């Protein structure tokens, strides 16, 4: 898949395989950073204010990226 994030001064758009999947007005307060990871942890916050944390057992996993391109718009 190809993912594109356009982060502008007042708008962020997210594309997957050339299809727009999210468009959101934003208010920039600091520079955007890029982080990529894979994990099996989760956190749950219930409407009653309860917090639960845990991990899901999984088999072998990998995360592969062909390329990352960051450029000013």
């Amino acid at each position: 898949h190809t993912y594109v994030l356009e982060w502008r001064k007042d708008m962020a758009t997210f594309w997957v395989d050339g299809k727009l999947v999210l468009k959101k007005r934003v208010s920039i307060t600091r520079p955007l950073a890029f982080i990529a990871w894979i994990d099996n942890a989760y956190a749950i916050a219930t409407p009653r204010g309860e917090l639960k944390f845990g991990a899901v057992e999984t088999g072998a996993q990998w995360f592969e990226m062909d390329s990352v391109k960051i450029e000013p718009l």
Side-chain angles (χ1 to χ4, degrees):
H1 296 285
T2 300
Y3 303 93
V4 175
L5 173 63
E6 293 181 356
W7 190 273
R8 299 179 183 265
K9 188 175 185 175
D10 65 346
M11 182 74 62
T13 55
F14 184 59
W15 305 77
V16 178
D17 296 333
K19 182 177 179 182
L20 180 65
V21 295
L22 179 68
K23 184 175 183 179
K24 181 77 175 165
R25 290 208 159 279
V26 295
S27 177
I28 303 296
T29 59
R30 60 185 62 168
L32 180 66
F34 174 78
I35 300 170
W37 75 88
I38 186 169
D39 69 26
N40 62 344
Y42 65 86
I44 299 171
T46 70
R48 294 184 304 271
E50 300 168 326
L51 298 176
K52 298 178 183 180
F53 302 91
V56 177
E57 289 194 36
T58 63
Q61 298 182 34
W62 75 93
F63 181 57
E64 182 176 333
M65 296 189 313
D66 291 332
S67 66
V68 174
K69 182 178 178 182
I70 300 173
E71 60 186 44
L73 295 174

